[in-house]
Amino acid sequence: MCMHLAESAVVRTQWQPHGMQCKAVSKPYRARLSSTAVRSPCERKKRFFKPSCAPATQHKAAGSASGDAQASPLASHETDFVVIGSGIGGLCCAALLARYGYKVTVCESHYVLGGAAHGFEVKGHHFDAGPSFFAGLSGEGNSSNPLKQVLNAIEEKVECVTYDRWVNHTPDGSFPVVCNGDRYAEMVRTQGGEAALQQWRALEDKMRPLQQGAALFPAAALRSDPGVVLSMLRFGPKLALTGLQAPTLTAPFAKVVDQVVTDPWLRKFLDLECFVLSGMLAKDTICAEMAFMLMERNRPGSTIDYPLGGTSSIVDALRRGIEKNGGKIMLRSHVEEILVEGGQAVGVKVRAANPKKPSAVIKARKGVVTNASVWDTQGLLPNQDITPKQREWSSEAKQTPQTGSFMHLHLGGILFFFFFCAAKDFARKDEQSRQY
């Protein structure tokens, strides 16, 4: 997927709960706030706080997760692609590029991989810093989960434990949600009444063709170059269904909900479902995400997956996929500028740890991919040598609104979520809650 997109001047990737998306930076992009490259204060307390993901390429004196670690992570060199940032999207992109024979270098400012998906330990207790809700990640064979598709492509596995329910604690009481279509519908009837159930069934009918369309064309086959035609031909005439559903799939989920759902309880519950998955309400959650998750989660025999070792195990699997195919991963390597010539990204400038030393330059023969946030990425582009379209994108990017932060509390293997309206009120009380 990202391999073909990366042949644009610059592209950016972002991980979503159900997989990964790529966008050309020449277009405005609404995204959640990504983890930044700021060193954690807890780094000073390493006897109590340590990253749970094995480090990648570092100085040999410090040790590394691979035997071929470079003696100097900031050495200037030339490669096919440079990937800025090691979030899930960036690592997936780099792993696929390396798998298909491209030379790739990943530059990460932090001292651990994973971006918002990295983990850490405090006094022996493991914590995930980011996503924790997965479906379609375990098991053998094909999966509709784009992340699983990437892991299959690079021949890496993540061992998971599975569960089929969680408990919602709301101001009106607590109730379980089970990964089964019939049990889910019964929960809607019990909590919301017959009217809510009838409207849920109507919403299922509305969602069914969308789910079929979303499942027909795997996300890993998406690309932005003319080669997309070759990818589409593999799926035959049925692909027309996806084309017809595309405008709805890329629209907010609320546009579908508003057509059939008026019951107050069900509308609130669907907002909660969206918030759990994306951190946003139905009006800001893309319909394709909900189509995939509701289809995957409510099918017969469905389970929810949790990777053993937390999200760090996913990050480590992607790291293995990159390094075994010759890719390089450079930690503590902050990109301070994307080098542009004639409107094309040709490399990056990496800040030296010693301010008295010159910055390293990594030349990219084919492209630069950025997994940094949309706000950080526009700050890396030079004022000169960019096209008017890129300059327009840079200006619009500064005005892209950020989503609010939120918290999931996990206790005893059961997921406890704040009810969506309580979280919404909390976010409004203090603007500082929007800062990470």
Side-chain angles (χ1 to χ4, degrees), residues 281 283 421-431 433-434:
L281 304 183
K283 65 183 180 65
C421 54
K424 185 177 180 182
D425 291 341
F426 174 79
R428 285 178 174 175
K429 286 181 180 178
D430 191 345
E431 186 64 20
S433 67
R434 297 180 177 272

Side-chain angles (χ1 to χ4, degrees), residues 122-318:
V122 178
K123 297 182 179 181
H125 299 285
H126 175 87
F127 296 89
D128 285 334
S132 56
F133 190 95
F134 299 91
L137 189 60
S138 62
E140 302 292 334
N142 296 327
S143 170
S144 53
N145 185 328
L147 177 57
K148 176 63 172 176
Q149 293 170 12
V150 172
L151 292 171
N152 287 345
I154 63 176
E155 299 179 338
E156 290 290 342
K157 295 181 179 180
V158 174
E159 188 177 358
C160 297
V161 293
T162 61
Y163 58 101
D164 67 352
R165 69 195 64 200
W166 67 96
V167 178
N168 281 327
H169 294 271
T170 77
D172 298 323
S174 303
F175 56 91
V177 179
V178 181
C179 294
N180 176 283
D182 293 337
R183 298 282 297 276
Y184 190 94
E186 178 60 21
M187 177 275 298
V188 171
R189 187 193 66 79
T190 302
Q191 299 298 321
E194 292 296 336
L197 176 61
Q198 292 177 9
Q199 292 179 19
W200 166 250
R201 292 300 190 191
L203 181 62
E204 281 189 311
D205 292 339
K206 283 282 186 181
M207 292 292 290
R208 195 164 290 114
L210 300 176
Q211 293 167 340
Q212 294 170 352
L216 184 63
F217 194 63
L222 293 174
R223 52 196 291 184
S224 64
D225 67 331
V228 68
V229 177
L230 298 177
S231 297
M232 292 173 66
L233 290 176
R234 294 174 51 199
F235 301 93
K238 291 183 179 180
L239 188 59
L241 176 62
T242 303
L244 293 173
Q245 303 294 348
T248 304
L249 285 169
T250 56
F253 181 52
K255 287 193 174 182
V256 180
V257 173
D258 289 345
Q259 295 177 29
V260 293
V261 178
T262 58
D263 180 79
W265 181 90
L266 184 57
R267 290 182 68 88
K268 288 182 178 180
F269 182 71
L270 292 172
D271 268 333
L272 171 61
E273 289 276 54
C274 292
F275 184 82
V276 168
L277 294 176
S278 69
M280 296 177 285
L281 304 183
K283 65 183 180 65
D284 294 315
T285 300
I286 189 171
C287 186
E289 179 178 348
M290 297 305 297
F292 165 80
M293 288 302 299
L294 291 173
M295 173 184 66
E296 181 70 25
R297 203 182 62 194
N298 289 341
R299 64 177 174 79
S302 176
T303 60
I304 305 170
D305 304 311
Y306 184 77
L308 290 177
T311 51
S312 297
S313 62
I314 298 175
V315 172
D316 206 41
L318 294 171

